Amino acid sequence: MKTTDEYSQKLVELIERSAQIDNLVVKSLQSAAEVKQELEELRAKQRETTEILHTLEDSSGNAWENIGGGG
């Protein structure tokens, strides 16, 4: 049969492990928020780059039309 000290020790271990799990949950939530923010920033940059490429595409198409039409 286990003694009261052994049960107390196991209870302390359980509390410590629960605290470690709670800390990991908090870290994962913080990391998820940071990743989400970084992803949003990258998507915004991607949209800006796409807009620039479309602008260049449109302007280069007009330039070729001007060249083909004699300038």
Side-chain angles (χ1 to χ4, degrees):
M1 188 166 147
K2 300 231 180 217
T3 66
T4 305
D5 289 338
E6 290 173 314
Y7 282 116
S8 294
Q9 180 59 33
K10 292 297 178 186
L11 182 59
V12 168
E13 289 176 21
L14 178 61
I15 292 169
E16 288 174 352
R17 288 185 180 139
S18 294
Q20 290 172 341
I21 290 170
D22 291 343
N23 286 335
L24 287 174
V25 168
V26 169
K27 282 183 182 179
S28 72
L29 293 173
Q30 289 172 339
S31 295
E34 290 171 3
V35 168
K36 183 178 178 182
Q37 180 180 353
E38 185 176 348
L39 181 60
E40 289 172 2
E41 291 171 2
L42 287 172
R43 283 186 175 152
K45 289 179 182 179
Q46 182 184 36
R47 284 190 297 272
E48 289 174 17
T49 303
T50 301
E51 289 174 13
I52 291 169
L53 286 173
H54 285 302
T55 302
L56 290 173
E57 181 180 45
D58 290 343
S59 66
S60 66
N62 292 335
W64 283 111
E65 288 176 16
N66 289 338
I67 290 172

Coordinates of all heavy atoms in Angstrom, one line a residue:
M1 N 0.8 -1.2 0.0 CA 0.0 0.0 0.0 C 0.9 1.3 0.0 O 1.9 1.3 0.7 CB -0.9 0.0 1.2 CG -1.9 1.1 1.2 SD -3.2 0.7 2.5 CE -3.5 2.3 3.0
K2 N 0.5 2.2 -0.7 CA 1.2 3.5 -0.8 C 1.0 4.3 0.4 O 0.0 4.4 1.0 CB 0.8 4.3 -2.1 CG 1.0 3.5 -3.4 CD 1.7 4.4 -4.3 CE 1.9 3.6 -5.6 NZ 3.1 3.8 -6.2
T3 N 2.1 5.0 0.7 CA 2.0 5.9 1.9 C 1.5 7.3 1.5 O 1.4 7.6 0.3 CB 3.4 6.1 2.6 OG1 4.2 6.7 1.7 CG2 4.0 4.7 2.9
T4 N 1.1 8.1 2.5 CA 0.6 9.4 2.2 C 1.7 10.2 1.5 O 1.4 11.0 0.6 CB 0.2 10.1 3.5 OG1 -0.7 9.2 4.2 CG2 -0.3 11.4 3.3
D5 N 3.0 10.0 1.9 CA 4.1 10.8 1.2 C 4.2 10.4 -0.2 O 4.4 11.3 -1.1 CB 5.4 10.5 1.9 CG 5.5 11.1 3.3 OD1 4.8 12.1 3.6 OD2 6.3 10.6 4.1
E6 N 4.0 9.2 -0.6 CA 4.1 8.8 -2.0 C 2.9 9.4 -2.8 O 3.1 9.9 -3.9 CB 4.0 7.3 -2.1 CG 5.3 6.6 -1.6 CD 5.2 5.1 -1.6 OE1 4.1 4.5 -1.1 OE2 6.1 4.4 -2.1
Y7 N 1.7 9.4 -2.2 CA 0.6 10.1 -2.9 C 0.8 11.6 -3.0 O 0.5 12.2 -4.0 CB -0.7 9.8 -2.1 CG -1.3 8.4 -2.3 CD1 -1.4 7.5 -1.3 CD2 -1.7 8.1 -3.6 CE1 -1.9 6.3 -1.5 CE2 -2.3 6.8 -3.8 CZ -2.4 5.9 -2.8 OH -2.9 4.7 -3.0
S8 N 1.4 12.2 -2.0 CA 1.6 13.6 -2.0 C 2.7 13.9 -3.1 O 2.5 14.9 -3.8 CB 2.2 14.1 -0.7 OG 1.2 14.0 0.3
Q9 N 3.7 13.1 -3.2 CA 4.7 13.3 -4.2 C 4.1 13.1 -5.6 O 4.4 13.9 -6.5 CB 5.9 12.3 -4.1 CG 7.0 12.4 -5.1 CD 7.6 13.8 -5.1 OE1 7.7 14.4 -4.1 NE2 8.0 14.2 -6.3
K10 N 3.2 12.2 -5.8 CA 2.6 12.0 -7.1 C 1.7 13.1 -7.4 O 1.6 13.6 -8.6 CB 1.8 10.6 -7.2 CG 2.7 9.4 -7.1 CD 3.5 9.4 -8.3 CE 4.4 8.1 -8.3 NZ 5.4 8.1 -9.4
L11 N 1.0 13.7 -6.4 CA 0.1 14.8 -6.6 C 1.0 16.0 -7.0 O 0.6 16.8 -7.9 CB -0.6 15.1 -5.3 CG -1.6 16.3 -5.4 CD1 -2.7 16.1 -6.5 CD2 -2.3 16.5 -4.1
V12 N 2.1 16.2 -6.4 CA 3.0 17.3 -6.8 C 3.5 17.2 -8.2 O 3.5 18.1 -9.0 CB 4.2 17.4 -5.8 CG1 5.3 18.3 -6.4 CG2 3.8 17.8 -4.5
E13 N 3.8 16.0 -8.6 CA 4.2 15.7 -10.0 C 3.1 16.0 -11.0 O 3.3 16.6 -12.1 CB 4.7 14.2 -10.2 CG 6.0 13.9 -9.5 CD 6.3 12.4 -9.6 OE1 5.8 11.7 -10.5 OE2 7.2 12.0 -8.8
L14 N 1.9 15.6 -10.6 CA 0.7 15.8 -11.5 C 0.5 17.3 -11.6 O 0.3 17.8 -12.8 CB -0.5 15.2 -10.9 CG -1.8 15.4 -11.6 CD1 -1.7 14.8 -13.0 CD2 -3.0 14.8 -10.8
I15 N 0.6 18.1 -10.6 CA 0.4 19.6 -10.6 C 1.5 20.2 -11.5 O 1.2 21.1 -12.3 CB 0.4 20.1 -9.2 CG1 -0.9 19.7 -8.5 CG2 0.5 21.7 -9.2 CD1 -0.9 20.0 -7.0
E16 N 2.8 19.7 -11.4 CA 3.9 20.3 -12.2 C 3.6 20.0 -13.6 O 3.9 20.9 -14.5 CB 5.2 19.7 -11.7 CG 5.6 20.2 -10.3 CD 6.9 19.5 -9.8 OE1 7.3 18.5 -10.4 OE2 7.4 20.0 -8.8
R17 N 3.2 18.8 -13.9 CA 3.0 18.4 -15.4 C 1.8 19.2 -15.9 O 1.9 19.6 -17.1 CB 2.8 16.9 -15.5 CG 4.1 16.2 -15.3 CD 3.9 14.7 -15.5 NE 5.2 14.0 -15.3 CZ 5.3 12.9 -14.6 NH1 4.3 12.3 -14.1 NH2 6.5 12.4 -14.4
S18 N 0.8 19.4 -15.1 CA -0.3 20.2 -15.6 C 0.1 21.6 -15.9 O -0.3 22.2 -16.9 CB -1.4 20.2 -14.5 OG -2.0 18.9 -14.4
A19 N 1.0 22.2 -15.0 CA 1.5 23.5 -15.3 C 2.3 23.6 -16.5 O 2.2 24.6 -17.3 CB 2.3 24.0 -14.1
Q20 N 3.1 22.6 -16.8 CA 3.9 22.5 -18.0 C 3.0 22.5 -19.2 O 3.3 23.1 -20.2 CB 4.9 21.3 -18.0 CG 6.0 21.4 -17.0 CD 6.8 20.1 -16.9 OE1 6.3 19.0 -17.3 NE2 8.0 20.2 -16.3
I21 N 2.0 21.7 -19.2 CA 1.0 21.6 -20.3 C 0.4 22.9 -20.5 O 0.2 23.4 -21.6 CB 0.0 20.5 -20.0 CG1 0.6 19.1 -20.1 CG2 -1.2 20.6 -21.0 CD1 -0.2 18.0 -19.6
D22 N -0.1 23.6 -19.4 CA -0.7 24.9 -19.6 C 0.3 25.9 -20.2 O -0.1 26.7 -21.1 CB -1.1 25.4 -18.2 CG -2.3 24.7 -17.6 OD1 -3.0 23.9 -18.4 OD2 -2.5 24.8 -16.4
N23 N 1.5 25.9 -19.8 CA 2.5 26.8 -20.4 C 2.7 26.5 -21.9 O 2.8 27.4 -22.7 CB 3.9 26.6 -19.7 CG 3.9 27.3 -18.4 OD1 3.1 28.2 -18.1 ND2 4.8 26.8 -17.5
L24 N 2.7 25.2 -22.3 CA 2.8 24.9 -23.7 C 1.6 25.3 -24.5 O 1.7 25.8 -25.6 CB 3.0 23.4 -23.9 CG 4.4 22.8 -23.5 CD1 4.5 21.3 -23.6 CD2 5.5 23.4 -24.4
V25 N 0.4 25.2 -23.9 CA -0.8 25.7 -24.6 C -0.7 27.2 -24.8 O -1.0 27.6 -25.9 CB -2.0 25.3 -23.8 CG1 -3.3 26.0 -24.3 CG2 -2.3 23.8 -23.8
V26 N -0.3 27.9 -23.8 CA -0.1 29.4 -24.0 C 0.9 29.7 -25.1 O 0.7 30.5 -25.9 CB 0.3 30.0 -22.6 CG1 0.7 31.5 -22.8 CG2 -0.9 29.9 -21.6
K27 N 2.0 29.0 -25.1 CA 3.1 29.2 -26.1 C 2.5 28.9 -27.5 O 2.8 29.7 -28.4 CB 4.3 28.4 -25.8 CG 5.2 28.9 -24.7 CD 6.4 28.0 -24.6 CE 7.3 28.4 -23.5 NZ 8.5 27.5 -23.4
S28 N 1.8 27.9 -27.6 CA 1.2 27.5 -28.9 C 0.2 28.5 -29.4 O 0.2 28.9 -30.6 CB 0.6 26.1 -28.9 OG -0.6 26.1 -28.2
L29 N -0.6 29.1 -28.5 CA -1.5 30.1 -28.9 C -0.8 31.4 -29.3 O -1.2 32.0 -30.3 CB -2.5 30.4 -27.8 CG -3.5 29.2 -27.4 CD1 -4.3 29.6 -26.2 CD2 -4.4 28.9 -28.6
Q30 N 0.2 31.7 -28.6 CA 1.0 32.9 -28.9 C 1.7 32.7 -30.3 O 1.7 33.6 -31.1 CB 2.1 33.2 -27.9 CG 1.5 33.7 -26.6 CD 2.5 33.8 -25.5 OE1 3.6 33.2 -25.5 NE2 2.2 34.6 -24.4
S31 N 2.3 31.6 -30.5 CA 2.9 31.3 -31.8 C 1.9 31.3 -32.9 O 2.2 31.8 -34.0 CB 3.6 29.9 -31.7 OG 4.6 29.9 -30.8
A32 N 0.8 30.8 -32.7 CA -0.3 30.8 -33.7 C -0.6 32.2 -34.1 O -0.8 32.5 -35.3 CB -1.5 30.0 -33.3
A33 N -0.8 33.1 -33.1 CA -1.1 34.5 -33.4 C 0.0 35.2 -34.1 O -0.2 35.9 -35.1 CB -1.4 35.2 -32.1
E34 N 1.3 34.9 -33.8 CA 2.4 35.5 -34.5 C 2.5 35.0 -35.9 O 2.7 35.8 -36.8 CB 3.7 35.1 -33.7 CG 3.8 35.8 -32.4 CD 5.0 35.3 -31.6 OE1 5.8 34.4 -32.0 OE2 5.2 35.8 -30.4
V35 N 2.3 33.7 -36.1 CA 2.3 33.1 -37.5 C 1.2 33.7 -38.3 O 1.3 34.1 -39.5 CB 2.2 31.6 -37.4 CG1 1.9 31.0 -38.8 CG2 3.5 31.0 -36.8
K36 N 0.0 33.9 -37.7 CA -1.1 34.5 -38.4 C -0.8 35.9 -38.8 O -1.1 36.3 -40.0 CB -2.4 34.5 -37.5 CG -3.6 35.0 -38.2 CD -4.8 34.9 -37.3 CE -6.0 35.5 -38.0 NZ -7.2 35.5 -37.1
Q37 N -0.2 36.7 -37.9 CA 0.2 38.1 -38.3 C 1.2 38.1 -39.4 O 1.1 38.9 -40.3 CB 0.7 38.8 -37.0 CG 1.1 40.2 -37.3 CD 1.7 40.9 -36.1 OE1 1.7 40.3 -35.0 NE2 2.2 42.1 -36.3
E38 N 2.2 37.2 -39.3 CA 3.2 37.2 -40.4 C 2.6 36.8 -41.7 O 2.9 37.3 -42.7 CB 4.3 36.2 -40.0 CG 5.5 36.2 -40.9 CD 6.6 35.2 -40.5 OE1 6.6 34.8 -39.3 OE2 7.5 35.0 -41.3
L39 N 1.7 35.8 -41.7 CA 1.0 35.4 -42.9 C 0.2 36.5 -43.5 O 0.2 36.7 -44.7 CB 0.1 34.2 -42.6 CG -0.7 33.6 -43.7 CD1 0.3 33.1 -44.8 CD2 -1.6 32.5 -43.2
E40 N -0.5 37.3 -42.7 CA -1.3 38.4 -43.2 C -0.4 39.5 -43.8 O -0.7 40.0 -44.9 CB -2.1 39.1 -42.1 CG -3.3 38.2 -41.6 CD -4.0 38.7 -40.4 OE1 -3.6 39.8 -39.8 OE2 -4.9 38.1 -39.9
E41 N 0.8 39.7 -43.2 CA 1.8 40.7 -43.8 C 2.3 40.2 -45.1 O 2.4 41.0 -46.1 CB 2.9 40.9 -42.8 CG 2.5 41.6 -41.5 CD 3.6 41.7 -40.5 OE1 4.7 41.1 -40.7 OE2 3.3 42.2 -39.4
L42 N 2.6 38.9 -45.2 CA 3.1 38.3 -46.4 C 2.0 38.4 -47.5 O 2.3 38.7 -48.7 CB 3.6 36.9 -46.2 CG 4.9 36.8 -45.5 CD1 5.2 35.3 -45.1 CD2 6.1 37.4 -46.2
R43 N 0.8 38.1 -47.2 CA -0.3 38.2 -48.2 C -0.5 39.6 -48.7 O -0.7 39.8 -49.9 CB -1.6 37.6 -47.6 CG -1.6 36.1 -47.5 CD -2.9 35.6 -47.0 NE -2.9 34.2 -47.1 CZ -3.7 33.4 -46.3 NH1 -4.5 33.9 -45.4 NH2 -3.6 32.1 -46.4
A44 N -0.3 40.6 -47.8 CA -0.4 42.0 -48.2 C 0.7 42.3 -49.2 O 0.5 43.0 -50.2 CB -0.4 42.9 -47.0
K45 N 1.9 41.9 -48.9 CA 3.0 42.1 -49.8 C 2.8 41.4 -51.1 O 3.2 41.9 -52.2 CB 4.3 41.6 -49.2 CG 4.8 42.5 -48.0 CD 6.0 42.0 -47.4 CE 6.5 42.9 -46.2 NZ 7.7 42.4 -45.6
Q46 N 2.2 40.2 -51.1 CA 1.9 39.4 -52.3 C 0.9 40.2 -53.2 O 1.1 40.3 -54.4 CB 1.4 38.1 -51.9 CG 1.1 37.2 -53.1 CD 0.5 35.9 -52.7 OE1 -0.3 35.8 -51.8 NE2 0.8 34.8 -53.4
R47 N -0.1 40.8 -52.5 CA -1.1 41.6 -53.3 C -0.4 42.8 -53.9 O -0.7 43.1 -55.1 CB -2.2 42.0 -52.4 CG -3.2 40.9 -52.1 CD -4.5 41.4 -51.3 NE -4.2 42.0 -50.0 CZ -4.1 41.3 -48.9 NH1 -4.3 40.0 -48.9 NH2 -3.8 41.9 -47.8
E48 N 0.4 43.5 -53.2 CA 1.1 44.6 -53.7 C 2.0 44.2 -54.9 O 2.0 44.9 -55.9 CB 2.0 45.2 -52.7 CG 1.3 45.9 -51.5 CD 2.3 46.4 -50.4 OE1 3.5 46.5 -50.7 OE2 1.8 46.7 -49.3
T49 N 2.7 43.1 -54.8 CA 3.5 42.7 -55.9 C 2.7 42.3 -57.1 O 3.0 42.6 -58.3 CB 4.4 41.4 -55.5 OG1 5.1 41.8 -54.3 CG2 5.3 41.0 -56.6
T50 N 1.6 41.7 -56.9 CA 0.7 41.3 -58.0 C 0.2 42.5 -58.7 O 0.1 42.6 -59.9 CB -0.5 40.4 -57.5 OG1 0.0 39.3 -56.8 CG2 -1.4 40.0 -58.6
E51 N -0.2 43.6 -57.9 CA -0.7 44.8 -58.5 C 0.4 45.5 -59.4 O 0.1 46.0 -60.5 CB -1.2 45.8 -57.4 CG -2.4 45.3 -56.8 CD -2.8 46.2 -55.6 OE1 -2.2 47.3 -55.4 OE2 -3.7 45.8 -54.8
I52 N 1.6 45.4 -58.9 CA 2.8 46.0 -59.6 C 3.0 45.3 -60.9 O 3.2 45.9 -62.0 CB 4.0 46.1 -58.7 CG1 3.9 47.1 -57.6 CG2 5.3 46.4 -59.6 CD1 4.9 47.0 -56.6
L53 N 2.9 43.9 -60.8 CA 3.1 43.1 -62.0 C 2.0 43.4 -63.0 O 2.3 43.5 -64.3 CB 3.1 41.6 -61.7 CG 4.4 41.2 -61.0 CD1 4.3 39.7 -60.6 CD2 5.6 41.3 -61.9
H54 N 0.8 43.6 -62.6 CA -0.3 43.9 -63.5 C -0.1 45.3 -64.2 O -0.3 45.4 -65.4 CB -1.7 43.8 -62.8 CG -2.1 42.4 -62.6 ND1 -2.3 41.5 -63.5 CD2 -2.5 41.8 -61.4 CE1 -2.8 40.4 -63.0 NE2 -2.8 40.5 -61.7
T55 N 0.4 46.2 -63.4 CA 0.7 47.5 -63.9 C 1.8 47.5 -64.9 O 1.6 48.1 -66.0 CB 1.1 48.5 -62.7 OG1 0.0 48.5 -61.8 CG2 1.4 49.9 -63.3
L56 N 2.8 46.7 -64.6 CA 3.9 46.6 -65.6 C 3.4 45.9 -66.9 O 3.8 46.2 -68.0 CB 5.1 45.8 -65.0 CG 5.9 46.6 -63.9 CD1 6.9 45.6 -63.2 CD2 6.5 47.8 -64.5
E57 N 2.6 44.9 -66.7 CA 2.1 44.1 -67.8 C 1.3 45.0 -68.7 O 1.4 45.0 -69.9 CB 1.2 43.0 -67.3 CG 0.6 42.1 -68.4 CD -0.2 41.0 -67.8 OE1 -1.0 41.2 -66.9 OE2 0.0 39.8 -68.3
D58 N 0.4 45.8 -68.1 CA -0.4 46.8 -68.9 C 0.4 47.8 -69.6 O 0.2 48.1 -70.8 CB -1.4 47.5 -68.0 CG -2.5 46.5 -67.5 OD1 -2.7 45.4 -68.1 OD2 -3.2 46.8 -66.5
S59 N 1.4 48.4 -68.9 CA 2.2 49.4 -69.5 C 3.1 48.9 -70.6 O 3.3 49.5 -71.6 CB 3.0 50.1 -68.4 OG 4.0 49.3 -67.8
S60 N 3.6 47.7 -70.4 CA 4.5 47.1 -71.4 C 3.7 46.7 -72.6 O 4.2 46.8 -73.8 CB 5.3 45.9 -70.9 OG 4.4 44.8 -70.6
G61 N 2.5 46.3 -72.4 CA 1.6 46.0 -73.6 C 1.3 47.3 -74.4 O 1.3 47.3 -75.6
N62 N 1.1 48.4 -73.7 CA 0.9 49.6 -74.4 C 2.1 50.1 -75.1 O 2.0 50.7 -76.2 CB 0.4 50.7 -73.4 CG -1.0 50.5 -72.9 OD1 -1.8 49.8 -73.5 ND2 -1.3 51.0 -71.7
A63 N 3.3 49.9 -74.5 CA 4.5 50.3 -75.1 C 4.7 49.5 -76.4 O 5.1 50.1 -77.4 CB 5.7 50.0 -74.2
W64 N 4.4 48.2 -76.4 CA 4.5 47.4 -77.6 C 3.6 47.9 -78.7 O 3.9 47.9 -79.9 CB 4.3 45.9 -77.4 CG 5.5 45.3 -76.7 CD1 5.6 44.9 -75.4 CD2 6.8 45.1 -77.3 NE1 6.9 44.4 -75.2 CE2 7.6 44.5 -76.3 CE3 7.4 45.4 -78.5 CZ2 9.0 44.2 -76.6 CZ3 8.7 45.0 -78.8 CH2 9.5 44.5 -77.8
E65 N 2.4 48.3 -78.3 CA 1.4 48.8 -79.3 C 1.9 50.1 -79.9 O 1.8 50.3 -81.1 CB 0.1 49.0 -78.6 CG -0.7 47.7 -78.3 CD -2.0 48.0 -77.5 OE1 -2.5 49.1 -77.5 OE2 -2.5 47.0 -76.9
N66 N 2.5 51.0 -79.1 CA 3.0 52.2 -79.6 C 4.2 52.0 -80.5 O 4.3 52.7 -81.5 CB 3.5 53.1 -78.4 CG 2.3 53.7 -77.6 OD1 1.2 53.7 -78.1 ND2 2.6 54.1 -76.4
I67 N 5.1 51.0 -80.2 CA 6.2 50.7 -81.0 C 5.7 50.2 -82.4 O 6.1 50.6 -83.4 CB 7.2 49.8 -80.3 CG1 7.9 50.4 -79.2 CG2 8.2 49.2 -81.3 CD1 8.7 49.5 -78.3
G68 N 4.7 49.3 -82.3 CA 4.2 48.6 -83.5 C 3.5 49.6 -84.4 O 3.4 49.5 -85.6
G69 N 2.9 50.7 -83.8 CA 2.2 51.7 -84.5 C 3.1 52.8 -85.0 O 2.6 53.8 -85.5
G70 N 4.4 52.7 -84.9 CA 5.3 53.7 -85.4 C 5.7 54.7 -84.3 O 6.3 55.7 -84.6
G71 N 5.4 54.3 -83.0 CA 6.1 55.1 -82.0 C 5.5 56.0 -81.2 O 5.8 56.9 -80.6

